[in-house]
């Protein structure tokens, strides 16, 4: 797994947080008692959850110590737990909302992970997930082309990044578990000031494993420079110099069978 840089990740905080805002708005629970943010990162998505349900016990979970340190510093009132979701989160108890924003694309076996997250729900609880789907996006295809070029071919053997799936994959995984399944997609059209900003955006997420693999600073700079130059024709600048960056994301919510806990009150474990 890549080493995370919270400051680099948050360089585009508004664009990275908006999907959390949109997903939370689609969760039709009034007063859940326990909420968990799986892969909370630096806490920006957890803050959205806490803002929607201020009386809920809200827990942020992440495997990155650096991200959690940033979350604790920014939101000291929060509850933050370092844990690997792929190893199971049953020790945290059950929840009315299990939330995950832009995380599960890092996991090869997303089907097993999603079944495990769904199993954390109380009756009537909601699993709510957003997943970036970069398949076919130039930001990803240009990277794949760069990795195949002679200078870099074979240099990243064994290095993995994200694992995109179509919306139909998530339907097939979750439809046997619930009839209350809602899926949708959104294309966010980010306005970026330059191609340097595009590289910076991706360096804070899916490009991280490749950059971590290059330990020589000069080599890393050369890799980023080549990537930048090949992005320019893929994302032609507008007349004002800005660059439009379409980003495709998949959303879904899935409700567990049973009456929802909308009464608030003391958390149940």
């Amino acid at each position: 797994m890549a080493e995370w840089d919270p400051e680099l990740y948050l360089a585009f905080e508004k664009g990275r947080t908006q999907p959390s805002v949109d997903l939370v708005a689609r969760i039709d629970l009034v007063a859940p008692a326990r909420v968990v943010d799986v892969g909370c990162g630096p806490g920006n998505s957890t803050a959205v959850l806490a803002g929607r349900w201020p009386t809920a016990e809200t827990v942020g979970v992440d495997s990155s110590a650096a991200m959690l340190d940033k979350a604790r510093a920014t939101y000291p009132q929060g509850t933050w737990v370092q844990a690997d979701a792929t190893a199971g989160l049953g020790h945290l108890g059950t929840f009315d909302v299990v939330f995950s924003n832009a995380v599960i694309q890092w996991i090869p076996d997303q089907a097993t992970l999603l079944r495990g997250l769904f199993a954390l729900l109380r009756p009537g609880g909601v699993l709510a997930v957003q997943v970036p789907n970069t398949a076919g996006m130039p930001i990803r295809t240009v990277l794949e082309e760069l990795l195949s070029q002679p200078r870099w071919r074979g240099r990243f053997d064994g290095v993995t990044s994200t694992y995109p799936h179509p919306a139909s994959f998530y339907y097939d995984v979750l439809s046997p578990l619930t009839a209350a399944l809602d899926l949708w997609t959104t294309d966010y059209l980010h306005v970026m000031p330059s191609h340097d900003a595009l590289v910076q955006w991706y360096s804070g997420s899916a490009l991280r494993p490749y950059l971590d693999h290059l330990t020589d600073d000069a080599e890393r700079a050369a890799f980023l420079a080549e990537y930048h130059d090949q992005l320019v024709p893929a994302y032609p600048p507008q007349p004002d110099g800005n660059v439009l960056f379409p980003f495709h994301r998949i959303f879904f919510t899935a409700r567990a069978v049973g009456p929802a806990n909308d009464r608030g009150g003391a958390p149940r474990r």
Side-chain angles (χ1 to χ4, degrees):
M1 181 62 72
E3 293 295 327
W4 286 98
D5 181 338
E7 301 303 331
L8 181 59
Y9 181 85
L10 289 172
F12 301 95
E13 183 174 3
K14 184 177 186 298
R16 295 196 192 278
T17 304
Q18 188 61 49
S20 292
V21 174
D22 297 341
L23 180 56
V24 168
R26 293 284 290 265
I27 302 173
D28 58 349
L29 295 179
V30 176
R34 298 196 79 216
V35 176
V36 64
D37 184 3
V38 179
C40 64
N44 53 312
S45 54
T46 321
V48 175
L49 291 163
R52 169 78 186 274
W53 299 296
T55 62
E57 177 193 5
T58 302
V59 181
V61 178
D62 205 280
S63 61
S64 168
M67 285 292 204
L68 289 173
D69 286 345
K70 179 64 175 178
R72 292 187 184 99
T74 308
Y75 309 103
Q77 72 280 11
T79 300
W80 309 105
V81 176
Q82 185 171 6
D84 180 357
T86 62
L89 298 176
H91 60 287
L92 298 178
T94 57
F95 296 88
D96 302 298
V97 175
V98 176
F99 182 92
S100 183
N101 179 69
V103 174
I104 70 169
Q105 73 276 5
W106 290 95
I107 309 303
D109 187 1
Q110 295 176 36
T112 298
L113 175 64
L114 285 170
R115 295 185 192 106
L117 295 180
F118 190 83
L120 297 176
L121 291 174
R122 296 169 172 175
V126 174
L127 171 67
V129 177
Q130 183 272 125
V131 190
N133 185 355
T134 57
M137 287 173 48
I139 197 78
R140 183 184 180 97
T141 59
V142 167
L143 174 61
E144 292 169 346
E145 291 170 5
L146 178 61
L147 297 177
S148 71
Q149 293 176 4
R151 179 173 182 178
W152 307 109
R153 188 182 304 131
R155 290 294 308 280
F156 299 96
D157 290 347
V159 178
T160 57
S161 185
T162 57
Y163 302 85
H165 292 291
S168 58
F169 168 84
Y170 300 107
Y171 174 84
D172 291 341
V173 172
L174 292 168
S175 59
L177 304 179
T178 178
L181 175 61
D182 190 14
L183 299 100
W184 68 99
T185 63
T186 299
D187 288 321
Y188 292 85
L189 196 60
H190 301 290
V191 179
M192 309 296 278
S194 65
H195 293 92
D196 286 338
L198 279 179
V199 174
Q200 186 181 17
W201 174 294
Y202 219 45
S203 295
S205 54
L207 206 60
R208 293 239 47 86
Y210 303 101
L211 298 179
D212 290 346
H213 188 71
L214 297 173
T215 56
D216 181 79
D217 290 343
E219 197 171 41
R220 189 182 299 114
F223 180 78
L224 289 174
E226 289 187 39
Y227 184 52
H228 170 279
D229 291 347
Q230 294 182 33
L231 283 175
V232 172
Y235 293 97
Q238 301 302 114
D240 64 359
N242 287 324
V243 179
L244 297 183
F245 178 36
F247 204 107
H248 185 68
R249 297 179 184 271
I250 299 170
F251 296 77
F252 51 90
T253 62
R255 184 186 288 272
V257 174
N261 171 36
D262 277 342
R263 297 178 299 278
R268 304 191 308 273
R269 297 183 184 272

